[in-house]
């Protein structure tokens, strides 16, 4: 696709960086930017909101796990609808409505029951949202007069995600410094209303429909799943890290380590925002560079970076100057996330036949849900039992290092019919 652009003289430099992408893809990126702006504060700072309410680490992470459990059901519902030709807009609209309900509940929640109800709605929303918004990327890439590869499309939208989440976390940090941390839910509600308006004005693309009697039906249904399993196994491990960044890391920072002092909520939020800011800076160049290489390269880089970052986080508990190690850890953690997110999505698209991509995206998204279900629960219990995050982070480092063997089982890009 890049060669076609060069052949017609429409190079990215002449047309402008933003205008090099098809209009439908730009609309998807804008939608994700708006949604992520609201979600950034909610995802990363909700643990701090309820830490202020004297919730235990286990209680906070139980809510995160409940959200993940709810998402396992709604993800399959979203994928099932998409594979039957439902427009990508419908699941995203339903997700926005569920998130609005979750914001309204968490804004006023003071007890565990109210917290659980809000997290339940957020989990349902995430499950509906991600398969549809991910599938919209390759569908949008091939539209218009100058289509682009889906690998570049994922690099673009993940950059929009990163910018939005970092902006949302920064807004949350400012609210925390003003003593208005619960304002993150108001910010999210405004962004969700903006998403609904954008969707009503510019619906997302229609997914590919199943062809009755084709290879996607009958006994051949399971044939596409085998090559996808190694990608899903790596994704299950890698997605545990963002889940821990959203749940265990905020609690670890405000509770302190063996030698590291506990940090105030505003400073803890600022350290989290630092990683998100780094992700904004590197997401596009990293995603674009890795789009030229086999997906195994990107996934290996991701797990290796996560191993280094979590090892540094664990080491921070052992020093009275551990905050410096926390800051240093944000660099490999940001690199790991920048490498994983677009590459893993592209791997799913490359390996899966077009008429099964809805369910395949649901399975891929399910890895986020399962990691968010298990990792925060285990981390919360460890934090309560040990009183620090040393064991959590060094265990994660060992698992990420061992996961590099899984990457080698991913076969080089198979040719699949669209």
């Amino acid at each position: 696709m890049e060669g076609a652009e060069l052949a017609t003289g429409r190079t990215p430099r002449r047309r402008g960086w933003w205008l090099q992408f098809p209009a439908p893809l730009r609309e998807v990126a804008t939608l994700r930017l708006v949604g992520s702006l609201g979600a950034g504060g909610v995802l990363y700072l909700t643990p701090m909101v309820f830490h202020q309410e004297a919730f235990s680490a286990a209680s906070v992470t139980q809510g995160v796990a409940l959200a993940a459990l709810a998402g396992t059901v709604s993800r399959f519902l979203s994928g099932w609808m998409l594979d039957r030709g439902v427009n990508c807009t419908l699941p995203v609209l339903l997700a926005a409505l569920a998130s609005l309900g979750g914001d309204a509940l968490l804004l006023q929640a003071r007890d565990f029951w109210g917290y659980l109800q809000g997290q339940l709605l957020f989990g349902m929303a995430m499950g509906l949202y991600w398969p549809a918004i991910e599938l919209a990327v390759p569908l949008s890439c091939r539209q218009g007069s100058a289509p682009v590869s889906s690998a570049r499309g994922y690099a673009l939208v993940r950059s929009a995600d990163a910018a939005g989440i970092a902006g949302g976390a920064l807004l949350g940090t400012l609210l925390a410094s003003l003593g208005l941390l619960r304002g993150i839910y108001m910010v999210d509600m405004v962004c969700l209303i903006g998403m609904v308006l954008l969707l009503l004005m510019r619906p997302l693309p229609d997914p590919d429909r199943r062809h009755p009697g084709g290879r996607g039906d009958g006994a051949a249904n399971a044939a596409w799943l085998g090559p996808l399993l190694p990608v899903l196994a790596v994704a299950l491990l890698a997605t545990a890290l963002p889940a821990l960044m959203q749940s265990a890391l905020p609690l670890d920072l405000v509770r302190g380590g063996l030698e590291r002092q506990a940090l105030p909520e505003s400073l803890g939020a600022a350290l989290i925002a630092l990683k998100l800011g780094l992700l904004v800076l590197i997401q596009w160049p990293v995603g674009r560079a890795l789009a030229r290489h086999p997906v195994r390269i990107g996934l290996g880089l991701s797990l290796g970076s996560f191993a280094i970052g979590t090892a540094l986080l664990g080491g921070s508990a052992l020093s009275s100057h551990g905050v410096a190690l926390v800051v240093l850890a944000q660099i490999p953690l940001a690199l790991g996330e920048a490498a994983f997110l677009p590459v893993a999505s592209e791997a799913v698209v490359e390996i899966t036949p077009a008429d099964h991509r809805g369910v395949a995206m649901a399975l891929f998204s399910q890895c986020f849900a399962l990691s968010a279900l298990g990792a925060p629960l285990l981390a919360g219990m460890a934090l309560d039992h040990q009183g620090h995050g040393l064991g959590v982070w060094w265990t994660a480092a060992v698992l990420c290092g061992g996961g590099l063997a899984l990457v080698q089982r991913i076969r080089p890009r198979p040719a699949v019919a669209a």
Side-chain angles (χ1 to χ4, degrees):
M1 294 303 177
E2 293 178 25
E5 290 177 356
L6 293 171
T8 58
R10 293 189 293 244
T11 66
R13 179 172 295 181
R14 289 180 59 185
R15 299 174 62 206
W17 181 84
W18 178 244
L19 295 179
Q20 71 181 282
F21 302 102
L25 181 61
R26 298 199 303 266
E27 291 160 8
V28 172
T30 301
L31 185 70
R32 292 174 69 141
L33 174 65
V34 173
S36 298
L37 181 64
V42 174
L43 288 174
Y44 283 90
L45 303 182
T46 287
M48 293 185 180
V49 172
F50 290 92
H51 173 76
Q52 291 179 343
E53 298 295 329
F55 282 34
S56 68
S59 295
V60 171
T61 53
Q62 282 169 15
V64 176
L66 177 64
L69 184 60
T72 60
V73 178
S74 55
R75 278 171 170 82
F76 280 124
L77 175 60
S78 180
W80 180 85
M81 288 191 295
L82 293 169
D83 276 353
R84 278 147 185 81
V86 173
N87 187 279
C88 297
T89 302
L90 179 59
V92 178
L93 276 175
L94 293 174
L97 295 176
S99 291
L100 282 168
D103 282 322
L105 286 169
L106 291 180
L107 181 62
Q108 58 186 347
R110 292 293 187 276
D111 58 20
F112 187 57
W113 175 241
Y115 169 67
L116 287 182
Q117 287 179 305
Q119 290 286 50
L120 178 66
L121 285 175
F122 272 124
M124 293 172 58
M126 291 299 100
L128 289 166
Y129 175 82
W130 279 111
I133 206 69
E134 287 286 83
L135 185 58
V137 175
L139 296 174
S140 300
C141 286
R142 67 194 191 197
Q143 296 187 9
S145 59
V148 298
S149 68
S150 57
R152 292 185 66 201
Y154 278 118
L156 173 68
V157 299
R158 290 300 186 178
S159 298
D161 290 340
I165 289 175
L170 178 60
L171 283 174
T173 301
L174 294 175
L175 290 169
S177 66
L178 297 172
L180 301 171
L181 187 53
R182 283 182 184 262
I184 59 177
Y185 302 117
M186 295 295 297
V187 173
D188 192 34
M189 292 172 81
V190 171
C191 292
L192 288 167
I193 292 171
M195 283 182 62
V196 170
L197 293 176
L198 288 172
L199 284 168
L200 293 177
M201 290 188 295
R202 299 278 187 176
L204 296 172
D206 291 316
D208 298 302
R209 295 177 180 270
R210 288 178 181 269
H211 303 291
R215 63 180 174 82
D217 295 323
N221 259 341
W224 60 272
L225 186 57
L228 189 62
L229 290 178
V231 176
L232 296 179
V234 171
L236 188 62
L237 177 59
T239 52
L241 272 298
L244 291 175
M245 296 303 107
Q246 295 166 15
S247 56
L249 181 58
L251 294 173
D252 186 27
L253 293 177
V254 298
R255 290 158 65 98
L258 286 170
E259 299 294 336
R260 190 188 71 236
Q261 296 296 312
L263 302 179
E265 282 85 356
S266 58
L267 183 54
L271 286 175
I272 293 170
L274 172 63
K275 190 268 287 186
L276 298 176
L278 289 172
L279 187 58
V280 172
L281 294 176
I282 68 174
Q283 181 66 82
W284 169 250
V286 170
R288 186 169 183 245
L290 291 176
R292 305 188 184 104
H293 299 283
V295 293
R296 285 187 295 179
I297 300 295
L299 294 177
L301 175 63
S302 174
L303 288 182
S305 299
F306 280 145
I308 294 170
T310 50
L312 289 171
L313 286 179
S316 74
L318 301 175
S319 171
S320 58
H321 303 288
V323 173
L325 288 179
V326 174
V327 172
L328 182 61
Q330 305 314 303
I331 299 173
L333 290 172
L335 178 59
E337 196 164 339
F340 172 76
L341 292 172
V343 172
S345 298
E346 170 64 10
V348 174
V349 170
E350 289 183 354
I351 293 173
T352 310
D355 53 357
H356 288 293
R357 284 179 185 161
V359 171
M361 282 297 177
L363 288 171
F364 172 60
S365 182
Q366 204 73 271
C367 296
F368 290 80
L370 293 174
S371 294
L373 176 62
L377 275 178
L378 294 174
M381 289 188 290
L383 286 172
D384 280 343
H385 178 68
Q386 298 177 342
H388 55 79
L390 176 63
V392 171
W393 302 122
W394 280 4
T395 299
V398 171
L399 290 175
C400 288
L404 292 171
L406 284 173
V407 174
Q408 302 307 312
R409 298 177 63 87
I410 299 174
R411 301 274 70 83
R413 309 185 173 196
V416 295

